[in-house]
DNA sequence: ATAATTTGTTTCGTTTTTGTAACAAAGCGC
DNA sequence: GCGCTTTGTTACAAAAACGAAACAAATTAT
């Protein structure tokens, strides 16, 4: 996917890369790019940092939260500082205009070689990214609302979670189908490193959450105990506004 | 590993990168580099194309045949043609002297990010590296899911492995076609060093896993006993998301 | 300062996992 | 084929882990 407001360059790049066998999608603005990322998962993105509607670097961050495509920044600015910041922000390579098509091609190949391009990332990863940030998470008839720091049932009635309980449930729901150890849960919800492996505090909080959600530990619909390891949220969760 | 005949640059790079936490090996010629690759497996090689005894580009080919370390070419020549050829010959990135250490650092990080740097030495180990980290391992109709800490059959039904059984099977599947002694398996799954060579615990766990997977020790499809040594996972395994 | 709420600790019971011991079966060497 | 060693199986015991409840301590609200 090429993202550049210079239409001539886009045409040239498209022709050259298509002749090499690549399948090209184009976008002319950051908004168009982000919109296309909702429905497609490119292996690699060629990104111009100077776009009409977006600061390219913050766009880089947004791309990163939506997909794990490799990113080659294509820029008219040849300052070392820009190159460094771009790479530090997550770009996989940096190419300065004007450049030869053959160099672009070689860099694309080098990057894809290393990412095993074609492993279009993951709905999984993208989904996880969304879950980590969305204002609301929906699951099994419940709405976990980060803004209100509370969980609501299907009729909007609050489950009356304490802040500690909310944080613990949030951590689990944000990583559905993934076992989290008690230590991980401790650090996710409280930070610091005072976890003692004989500590039962997480277990107690889990029990309290289960009681409020009417989830039976023996036939769990939401929170499953993985004996000797920790707990896992078993239900699918959806991000929502 | 840094490969450069410029001793001053090597010292500067070493200090800078060591301060960032990297472990550095140095070589001052192609021959020295190739010799060191016989006994060590770096994650990344910083290679000057102008060496006293070797045409850097053909050296690149030799490196490629010996290990799968990422390679950043560091060169005093700033001609596009050289950059292109270097990348086409297999380099992962190309940096022109003089450069800022911060840019070098950013590029190293970008390359390692892509390669998952850390244990990518020999071809064999590269494959093992993938198996060691992938969220899912596929074999013989089974899916071993590290996130869920469980094994599932082709219909998605869990094999109900205990966490101990899961860890033991994970250790075996991560190193297919390799015999692991009981002591190795003990250490891989439990850590510590309380292994007693008369201990039968691993044998019992293997038996329990076999039973759940319906693998007959006399005609094993998955786990083979190597008498007097240990056990080996006999089936190919594939990494998956 | 007092009351209410939240969180942690402790104890006990239950369940699950793992280990032990004994015997059987398989493999290997002579 | 025999004897010895190693591994597999099974039943039971021991250990570990987790859920529930009660009480205590800490924190927050009035």
């Amino acid at each position: 996917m090429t993202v550049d407001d210079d239409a001539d360059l886009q045409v040239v790049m498209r022709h050259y890369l298509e002749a090499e066998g690549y399948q090209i999608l184009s976008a002319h603005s950051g908004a168009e790019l982000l919109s296309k990322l909702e429905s497609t998962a490119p292996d690699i993105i060629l990104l111009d940092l100077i776009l009409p509607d977006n600061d390219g670097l913050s766009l880089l961050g947004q791309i990163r939260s939506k997909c794990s495509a490799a990113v080659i920044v294509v820029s008219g600015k040849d300052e070392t500082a820009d190159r460094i910041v771009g790479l530090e922000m997550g770009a996989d390579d940096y190419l300065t205009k004007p450049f030869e098509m053959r160099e672009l091609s070689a860099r694309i190949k080098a990057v894809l070689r290393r990412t095993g391009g074609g492993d279009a990332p993951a709905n999984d990863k993208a989904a996880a990214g969304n879950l980590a940030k969305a204002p609301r998470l929906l699951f099994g008839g419940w709405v976990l609302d980060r803004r209100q720091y509370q969980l609501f049932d299907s009729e909007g009635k609050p489950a009356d979670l304490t802040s500690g309980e909310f944080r613990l449930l949030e951590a689990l729901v944000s990583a559905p189908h993934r076992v989290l150890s008690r230590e991980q849960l401790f650090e996710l919800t409280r930070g610091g490193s005072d976890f003692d492996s004989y500590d039962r505090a997480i277990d107690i909080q889990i029990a309290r959450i289960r009681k409020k959600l009417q989830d039976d530990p023996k036939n769990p619909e939401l929170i499953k105990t993985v004996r000797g390891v920790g707990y896992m949220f078993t239900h699918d969760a959806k991000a929502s506004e």
Side-chain angles (χ1 to χ4, degrees), chain A:
Chain A
M1 183 184 281
T2 63
V3 191
D4 202 297
D5 68 340
D6 179 343
D8 287 342
L9 181 59
Q10 285 236 13
V11 170
V12 173
M13 281 198 291
R14 175 185 281 268
H15 282 146
Y16 187 89
L17 295 175
E18 277 179 343
E20 292 219 328
Y22 295 100
Q23 191 179 353
I24 309 295
L25 292 178
S26 303
H28 302 281
S29 68
E32 192 182 346
L33 165 67
L34 294 176
S35 169
K36 288 196 172 179
L37 289 183
E38 297 292 343
S39 58
T40 191
D43 300 325
I44 189 163
I45 296 172
L46 306 181
L47 176 67
D48 188 347
L49 286 189
I50 311 299
L51 292 173
D53 64 332
N54 268 81
D55 164 13
L57 288 181
S58 64
L59 187 57
L60 206 45
Q62 285 171 291
I63 293 170
R64 276 279 161 265
S65 70
K66 280 183 178 287
C67 76
S68 56
V71 179
I72 297 185
V73 170
V74 177
S75 177
K77 294 162 71 175
D78 185 24
E79 299 192 17
T80 301
D82 292 311
R83 285 209 299 276
I84 292 171
V85 172
L87 292 164
E88 286 176 343
M89 288 293 289
D92 294 285
D93 206 350
Y94 195 108
L95 195 58
T96 308
K97 300 176 187 173
F99 53 79
E100 292 188 31
M101 284 300 139
R102 191 172 161 208
E103 179 170 2
L104 174 63
S105 175
R107 286 185 181 273
I108 288 171
K109 284 184 179 125
V111 169
L112 289 181
R113 211 157 51 217
R114 280 297 161 185
T115 60
D119 259 356
N123 295 334
D124 235 8
K125 283 187 183 173
N130 286 343
L131 292 178
K133 299 183 179 192
R136 290 207 196 92
L137 303 180
L138 314 183
F139 61 87
W142 298 92
V143 181
L144 184 139
D145 192 315
R146 284 191 166 108
R147 290 195 187 113
Q148 300 194 52
Y149 228 83
Q150 189 53 252
L151 180 74
F152 300 93
D153 70 12
S154 52
E155 292 156 3
K157 186 173 175 308
D160 288 327
L161 298 185
T162 64
S163 59
E165 290 164 0
F166 178 89
R167 281 196 298 271
L168 183 54
L169 181 61
E170 183 197 12
L172 286 166
V173 179
S174 302
H177 309 299
R178 176 189 295 243
V179 180
L180 298 173
S181 69
R182 286 171 183 80
E183 184 168 6
Q184 284 172 321
L185 289 167
F186 187 90
E187 292 182 357
L188 284 170
T189 56
R190 307 179 195 201
S193 46
D194 290 344
F195 184 76
D196 166 9
S197 59
Y198 297 103
D199 193 338
R200 305 295 315 284
I202 294 287
D203 301 281
I204 307 308
Q205 277 196 315
I206 291 282
R208 285 172 178 155
I209 293 170
R210 277 173 164 154
K211 188 167 184 182
K212 289 179 180 180
L213 274 57
Q214 293 163 52
D215 196 32
D216 177 9
K218 291 185 194 166
N219 298 284
E221 304 240 344
L222 301 176
I223 302 176
K224 176 176 159 65
T225 305
V226 179
R227 203 169 168 90
V229 188
Y231 297 95
M232 174 174 83
F233 194 73
T234 61
H235 208 283
D236 287 343
K238 270 178 67 180
S240 173
E241 271 296 317

